[in-house]
């Protein structure tokens, strides 16, 4: 029976990869009934080791937030200072490379200097994530997630963000003075001219422009941090951290900690910058915009997306029932599949309260969706087979 064999082939699918173990092999009836046999180890599923799933990412962000809130003041100050130093070290290479491009080339192709900056500037984030550091931009996201998940208090969040910003600023300014000014790295005409030009352009930017440019900047920065958490190996972390930061650098968005490097450095080399003008028109609005972009937008949306089904509502595994005839072959299969999925759904819901099992729950939800897709694909074949039998066609 050729049509029936096609139906069997549609259902007899198995996945036996290195990172997945799942088989569904229905046995067709001998007494007029159809059965769908799902193995007892359906709940056993190993994820690939390359990435963490979404619930895992949120769970790690919550744990990191709680850990940051419990840091001693001395350690918080040291890690904040260290992040500022990382920023200066990466900026020194990026600014030196960009300043070395001929002004004629930059006037003709301004994207070249931005692209050169974007290659080296993100290295600071690699250092912060891999080696450690308290970074204001990333902490905006962490503490908004922690507040929404009730892992930290408002007082803890404000305390951490304030002092991290202060020590990031101290780290940037002090490292600029000792590493970039006293060493006269930018003493050449082209280098000096470049850092002065960058500092003066930022200091004279309008309040609204600085604020609006800062929002997408920290959206991209916090997205890169989130992707770095999702990656498990070092190469993956570096790759996913780099490219969103490249986007924000090339686009010309504003980042408050970066401005604490380039503007003080320009002032040290003689830039005509009014300190009050810079603080009001650039540093304050870029800080507020960074908080909104990284904290409110990324942190809030992450909690919403990753916690969509944590409200206690039943997870929806509805399977359509397109067959009106009770005795139809696919009707019996759909019924058995629905019962199996309901049993599995109940087992999943019992584990929702355990955060460490969220990754396995998400994986098994994917398996169940695969079952439903296979049932839908075989619908037309089974219907053709049944209609052929009713009309007396030879299906042998």
């Amino acid at each position: 029976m050729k049509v029936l064999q096609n139906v069997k082939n549609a259902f007899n699918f198995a996945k036996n990869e290195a990172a997945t173990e799942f088989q569904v092999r229905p046995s067709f009836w001998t007494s007029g009934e159809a059965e769908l046999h799902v193995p007892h180890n359906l709940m056993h599923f190993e994820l690939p080791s390359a990435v963490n799933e979404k619930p895992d990412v949120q769970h790690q962000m919550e744990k990191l937030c709680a850990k940051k809130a419990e840091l001693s003041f001395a350690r918080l100050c040291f890690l904040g200072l260290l992040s500022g130093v990382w920023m200066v070290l990466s900026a020194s290479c990026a600014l030196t490379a960009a300043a070395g491009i001929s002004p004629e080339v930059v006037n003709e192709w301004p994207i070249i200097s931005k692209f050169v900056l974007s290659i080296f500037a993100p290295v600071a984030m690699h250092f912060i994530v891999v080696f450690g550091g308290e970074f204001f931009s990333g902490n905006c996201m962490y503490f908004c997630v922690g507040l929404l998940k009730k892992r930290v208090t408002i007082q803890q969040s404000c305390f951490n963000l304030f002092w991290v910003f202060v020590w990031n600023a101290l780290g940037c300014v002090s490292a600029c003075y000792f590493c970039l000014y006293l060493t006269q790295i930018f003493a050449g005409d082209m280098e000096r001219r470049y850092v002065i030009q960058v500092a003066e352009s930022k200091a004279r930017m309008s309040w609204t422009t600085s604020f609006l440019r800062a929002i997408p900047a920290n959206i991209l920065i916090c997205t890169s941090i989130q992707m770095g958490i999702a990656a498990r190996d070092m190469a993956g972390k570096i790759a996913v951290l780099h490219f969103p930061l490249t986007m924000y650098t090339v686009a010309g968005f504003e980042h408050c900690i970066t401005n604490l490097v380039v503007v003080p450095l320009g002032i040290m080399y003689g830039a005509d910058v009014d300190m009050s003008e810079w603080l009001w028109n650039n540093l304050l609005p870029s800080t507020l915009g960074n908080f909104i972009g990284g904290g409110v937008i990324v942190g809030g949306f992450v909690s919403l997306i990753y916690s969509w089904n944590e409200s206690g509502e039943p997870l929806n595994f509805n399977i359509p029932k397109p067959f009106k005839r009770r005795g139809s072959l696919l009707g019996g299969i759909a019924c058995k599949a629905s019962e199996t999925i309901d049993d599995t759904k109940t087992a999943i819901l019992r584990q929702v309260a355990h955060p460490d099992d969220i990754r396995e729950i998400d994986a098994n939800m994917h398996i169940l969706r695969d079952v439903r897709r296979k049932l839908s694909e075989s619908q037309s074949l089974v219907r053709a087979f049944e209609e052929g039998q009713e009309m007396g066609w030879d299906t042998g």
Side-chain angles (χ1 to χ4, degrees), residues 228-267:
I229 295 173
R232 293 185 180 180
D233 59 345
M234 184 65 67
K237 286 182 180 294
I238 291 176
V240 298
L241 282 169
H242 198 89
F243 288 104
L245 302 180
T246 298
M247 294 169 59
Y248 114 78
T249 306
V250 171
F253 295 134
E254 289 295 306
H255 182 221
C256 60
I257 307 300
T258 301
N259 293 345
L260 284 166
V261 176
V262 295
V263 177
L265 180 63
I267 294 173

Side-chain angles (χ1 to χ4, degrees), residues 37-258:
H37 294 294
V38 179
H40 296 293
N41 63 346
L42 175 64
M43 297 301 294
H44 176 67
F45 187 88
E46 295 183 26
L47 288 174
S49 60
V51 295
N52 292 313
E53 291 296 307
K54 290 181 179 179
D56 260 347
V57 174
Q58 186 199 5
H59 186 51
Q60 289 191 34
M61 290 172 65
E62 292 176 24
K63 291 195 297 183
L64 284 170
C65 177
K67 185 177 179 181
K68 288 175 178 290
E70 295 171 358
L71 288 175
S72 65
F73 183 71
R75 189 176 181 186
L76 183 148
C77 296
F78 171 75
L79 293 175
L81 189 74
L82 183 63
S83 294
V85 174
W86 293 137
M87 289 292 296
V88 171
L89 293 179
S90 65
S92 64
C93 182
L95 292 171
T96 302
I101 303 174
S102 172
E104 291 77 12
V105 176
V106 174
N107 291 334
E108 186 71 22
W109 302 95
I111 189 62
I112 294 179
S113 62
K114 291 184 177 182
F115 185 73
V116 171
L117 280 171
S118 70
I119 295 175
F120 300 104
V123 176
M125 190 61 67
H126 302 171
F127 293 155
I128 292 170
V129 172
V130 175
F131 297 110
E134 287 292 300
F135 195 50
F136 174 78
S137 300
N139 284 14
C140 291
M141 174 183 66
Y142 286 127
F143 278 91
C144 281
V145 172
L147 281 172
L148 292 172
K149 305 303 293 184
K150 299 181 180 179
R151 299 293 295 267
V152 295
T153 64
I154 296 178
Q155 292 80 0
Q156 287 176 315
S157 303
C158 293
F159 179 86
N160 182 280
L161 292 176
F162 173 78
W163 285 110
V164 166
F165 181 86
V166 169
W167 284 96
N168 283 169
L170 290 175
C172 290
V173 175
S174 59
C176 279
Y177 181 75
F178 288 106
C179 299
L180 304 184
Y181 178 67
L182 294 182
T183 56
Q184 293 295 297
I185 288 179
F186 296 96
D189 292 338
M190 292 181 61
E191 291 81 3
R192 181 192 296 269
R193 189 185 308 115
Y194 183 79
V195 296
I196 288 175
Q197 177 187 352
V198 173
E200 291 178 351
S201 64
K202 287 183 175 294
R204 292 164 185 168
M205 195 175 293
S206 68
W207 200 100
T208 305
T209 302
S210 297
F211 175 75
L212 294 178
R213 287 189 181 185
I215 294 174
N218 214 27
I219 289 176
L220 291 171
I221 291 171
C222 291
T223 301
S224 72
I225 295 173
Q226 184 186 140
M227 293 165 65
I229 295 173
R232 293 185 180 180
D233 59 345
M234 184 65 67
K237 286 182 180 294
I238 291 176
V240 298
L241 282 169
H242 198 89
F243 288 104
L245 302 180
T246 298
M247 294 169 59
Y248 114 78
T249 306
V250 171
F253 295 134
E254 289 295 306
H255 182 221
C256 60
I257 307 300
T258 301

